[in-house]
């Protein structure tokens, strides 16, 4: 399901002080000739990927892994992807990919359309005011935001997060 700009409640979960700071920031950007990087569209895809061998858990045997992919498109044309997977669904966690898709599509995504995707920390706090818990769903959205920002700036996400920790992958 794809989300558009209809039915958005602008500024419903931010305080007046935040709104004033945001508008001042926007005016400064416009004076400098910069434009805010706005979110244009958010969509989700649920995919079931079969396992080569079943994973036996106490309550069930998992034969496929369910993934939720979150796609966020910026007004600049760049696209960021995030994902989450919950092995065993709600038997292991209180979330499932289906519940994550509902959270993104209905409760979080519509309120992010038109917001500045460069302000990830602000968006993360805003999302936490929209829904309680739902950590897997929110993580998938946050991953997509970081990916979108990295693609916009032409940088790998690890540079946005402070740089590489090592030059080689250690595999045991």
């Amino acid at each position: 399901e794809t989300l558009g700009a209809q039915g958005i409640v602008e500024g419903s979960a931010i305080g007046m002080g935040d709104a004033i700071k945001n508008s001042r920031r926007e005016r400064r950007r416009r004076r400098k000739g910069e434009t805010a990087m706005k979110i244009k569209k958010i969509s989700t895809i649920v995919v079931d990927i079969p396992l080569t061998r079943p994973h036996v858990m106490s309550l069930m045997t998992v034969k496929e892994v369910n993934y939720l992919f979150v796609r966020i498109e910026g007004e600049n044309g760049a696209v960021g992807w995030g994902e989450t997977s919950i092995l065993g669904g709600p038997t292991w966690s209180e979330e499932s990919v289906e519940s994550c898709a509902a959270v993104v599509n209905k409760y979080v995504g519509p309120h992010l359309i038109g917001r500045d995707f460069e302000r990830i920390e602000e968006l993360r706090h805003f999302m936490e005011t929209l829904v309680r818990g739902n950590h897997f769903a929110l993580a998938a959205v946050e991953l997509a935001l970081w990916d979108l920002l990295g693609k916009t700036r032409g940088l790998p996400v690890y540079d946005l997060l402070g740089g590489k920790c090592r030059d080689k992958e250690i595999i045991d």
Side-chain angles (χ1 to χ4, degrees):
E1 185 178 337
T2 301
L3 302 174
Q6 64 275 10
I8 299 169
V9 180
E10 285 295 330
S12 63
I14 61 174
M16 185 54 89
D18 290 334
I20 292 168
K21 282 191 281 188
N22 290 340
S23 63
R24 285 183 190 148
R25 199 173 289 119
E26 287 299 314
R27 284 196 300 269
R28 266 185 264 137
R29 274 186 142 154
R30 279 190 227 117
R31 272 195 302 259
K32 292 179 182 179
E34 299 173 10
T35 58
M37 297 295 177
K38 304 283 185 182
I39 296 171
K40 179 180 176 181
K41 185 162 61 171
I42 300 174
S43 56
T44 60
I45 302 167
V46 174
V47 179
D48 298 325
I49 300 175
L51 295 171
T52 53
R53 66 178 172 79
H55 183 78
V56 179
M57 298 174 70
S58 61
L59 296 176
M60 66 188 294
T61 299
V62 178
K63 296 180 181 173
E64 58 189 20
V65 178
N66 317 107
Y67 286 90
L68 174 72
F69 294 100
V70 176
R71 181 184 187 273
I72 300 180
E73 182 180 339
E75 287 182 353
N76 62 349
V79 174
W81 287 91
E83 60 91 14
T84 192
S85 174
I86 302 157
L87 186 65
T91 62
W92 178 78
S93 165
E94 64 278 358
E95 293 179 81
S96 67
V97 293
E98 295 83 7
S99 70
C100 290
V103 166
V104 173
N105 291 330
K106 186 171 182 175
Y107 300 104
V108 173
H111 300 284
L112 298 183
I113 305 294
R115 293 189 178 267
D116 186 347
F117 65 77
E118 290 183 302
R119 305 179 59 75
I120 294 173
E121 188 65 15
E122 182 179 296
L123 291 175
R124 191 180 66 73
H125 287 289
F126 177 62
M127 289 188 296
E128 289 174 352
T129 67
L130 297 172
V131 295
R132 298 287 176 246
N134 294 284
H135 304 292
F136 287 91
L138 298 182
V141 173
E142 186 177 346
L143 285 169
L145 290 167
W146 282 109
D147 189 44
L148 177 58
L149 182 60
K151 287 177 179 171
T152 297
R153 293 187 180 171
L155 295 169
V157 173
Y158 64 77
D159 276 345
L160 298 173
L161 297 174
K164 277 200 258 186
C165 292
R166 38 181 97 76
D167 291 320
K168 293 181 182 180
E169 235 357 88
I170 300 170
I171 301 174
D172 286 336

